[in-house]
Amino acid sequence: MRIYIALALGLFSSHIFSAQSDFTWHGYVSQGLTQSKDSSFITDDNNVTGELTEIGLNGYYQLAENISIAGQVNYLDGGNRFEQGARLDYLFVDWKLPNLPGRWRGQIHAGRFKNIHWLYSSTRDVPQTRYTSILPQSVYNDGFRDVALGSNGILTSFSNYGKEYTWELNWSYGRSNINDSQREFLLGNEVKGKIRQDFVHQASVFLQPSSMTWKIGAGWLNSDFKYTPSQDEDGLPGTANIERFMLSAQYFAEHWEVSAEIIRDKQNSQGLFSPDFAEKRTGEGGFVQFRYLFNNEISGLIGYDKYINDTSDSDGKELEASTGGLIPAYFGYQDTYTVGLRWDIAPKWRLQGEYHWVEGATRVVSLLNRDVASHSDKHWEMWSIQLMYWF
């Protein structure tokens, strides 16, 4: 990862003062205040902090007529949600395929490419493109942000621009490195070994009319993970497979828009606790958001987000019983109500605020943590206010 960041910085710095028209670069700076109350999702001990910092620099360099390079480095501090520090969000070669038949257009990304299979997966790394600082956690789980944002591998995208409709077909295959913060989110803070993503295989399709008033899509994901314990822990080797199915929809009107996604996750885990340990579960969830534009500068948002960790135990009572009360039932689900307000106070300046009311805590922390109950009450809240500038 350090090598990738050094290469990206070298790419940016070598051209940042260049007057050549084949290189462009942009950036953003965002700072805010945030708090999670009665939960450690963002902050500890109900503290109000400034751990809401995002600084990014991205560039695009045209190597040849159909070949370019794009990349972004990012500094991120989101409290307990992320590992604080710099990271390489993406760095890939973009090859636009020439001479495709009919109305088809295609391109291939090779390197660390961005996830384009979900509604907001390709824009979640840029603060001014998000309607809220904290996206719906049913789909955009912050504990897994860096892995879900992109992968090291190859992505293909084909679009057909017909007279009435546009079709978009996407396919990708790769893997991501998993840092200590993401390992703890997946397996708990007691583990000290190495977790590896063997692969992530994704495909998606989107349909949009020429009027651009709506967009629908469907996606599929399959990924394998492997855990190797360290020599000084009691854990055992383990594997996990995750398969996700998703449906997406958006509708745009002159002064308002609505968006929604629903998901179904199938997880199959083996090992970790005993040689014969095996667990299969199916999780379901989704969100709906409504945004209204009061004028060209001010807009508001309301949203609802829900996730159930196991569809056979939607209220979490079996989870609580099976752990002898160690894990409360409300860690089996999470319901979130959101309101937000955005104000474009000047060109390239934005002030954005939001408030979330939450019942349940299945997205707060890994259910494999031994002290999971200490991480959240049943009912909790979170809020943020963030000032953004981009150039």
Side-chain angles (χ1 to χ4, degrees), residues 62-76:
Q62 193 75 38
L63 290 173
E65 182 179 359
N66 294 318
I67 300 177
S68 58
I69 296 177
Q72 175 173 288
V73 289
N74 175 287
Y75 173 84
L76 187 62

Side-chain angles (χ1 to χ4, degrees), residues 97 105 120 129 144 154 172 224 231 234 245 269 272-273 307 309 328 340 345 347 355 378 389:
L97 302 177
R105 300 292 184 270
Y120 303 122
T129 64
F144 220 38
I154 188 168
S172 65
D224 272 1
Q231 296 180 351
D234 297 330
F245 301 92
S269 303
L272 294 176
F273 304 108
Y307 190 78
N309 184 63
I345 55 181
Y355 207 102
K378 181 177 181 179
Y389 171 73

Side-chain angles (χ1 to χ4, degrees), residues 335-361:
D335 296 336
T336 305
Y337 299 87
T338 299
V339 296
L341 189 65
R342 169 186 288 186
W343 178 25
D344 290 337
I345 55 181
K348 300 182 179 181
W349 284 92
R350 176 173 295 156
L351 186 64
Q352 185 167 289
E354 65 204 71
Y355 207 102
H356 308 259
W357 293 267
V358 189
E359 178 183 345

Side-chain angles (χ1 to χ4, degrees), residues 177-366:
N177 296 322
I178 298 180
N179 57 40
D180 292 346
S181 176
Q182 292 163 341
R183 179 197 64 197
E184 291 179 2
F185 181 84
L186 286 171
L187 300 178
N189 53 20
E190 300 295 331
V191 300
K192 303 300 179 185
K194 298 291 184 181
I195 184 170
R196 169 187 171 91
Q197 184 182 49
D198 288 334
F199 71 88
V200 57
H201 192 183
Q202 294 195 76
S204 60
V205 56
F206 291 94
L207 174 65
Q208 192 167 28
S210 56
S211 63
M212 308 289 284
T213 54
W214 54 264
K215 180 178 182 180
I216 59 173
W220 167 83
L221 175 151
N222 188 272
S223 183
D224 272 1
F225 297 87
K226 181 183 297 182
Y227 178 71
T228 303
S230 64
Q231 296 180 351
D232 57 349
E233 67 172 297
D234 297 330
L236 297 173
T239 61
N241 173 265
I242 297 175
E243 187 174 28
R244 168 176 286 192
F245 301 92
M246 177 182 294
L247 296 176
S248 308
Q250 285 181 301
Y251 183 83
F252 305 94
E254 182 178 1
H255 297 292
W256 58 273
E257 65 180 83
V258 61
S259 59
E261 288 182 293
I262 57 175
I263 61 170
R264 183 178 179 90
D265 294 330
K266 294 184 177 181
Q267 182 171 319
N268 185 357
S269 303
Q270 295 179 334
L272 294 176
F273 304 108
S274 66
D276 59 349
F277 174 81
E279 179 186 64
K280 293 183 179 181
R281 69 168 181 85
T282 299
E284 287 183 348
F287 70 88
V288 58
Q289 290 186 151
F290 175 82
R291 179 171 175 248
Y292 187 81
L293 283 70
F294 298 101
N295 53 48
N296 292 333
E297 290 79 34
I298 299 176
S299 65
L301 176 141
I302 58 174
Y304 174 69
D305 179 39
K306 182 180 186 65
Y307 190 78
I308 297 172
N309 184 63
D310 190 340
T311 55
S312 65
D313 182 29
S314 60
D315 57 7
K317 292 183 179 179
E318 293 182 14
L319 174 67
E320 183 173 10
S322 65
T323 61
L326 184 65
I327 301 179
Y330 61 84
F331 276 88
Y333 63 90
Q334 186 165 316
D335 296 336
T336 305
Y337 299 87
T338 299
V339 296
L341 189 65
R342 169 186 288 186
W343 178 25
D344 290 337
I345 55 181
K348 300 182 179 181
W349 284 92
R350 176 173 295 156
L351 186 64
Q352 185 167 289
E354 65 204 71
Y355 207 102
H356 308 259
W357 293 267
V358 189
E359 178 183 345
T362 193
R363 291 305 208 189
V364 171
V365 68
S366 169

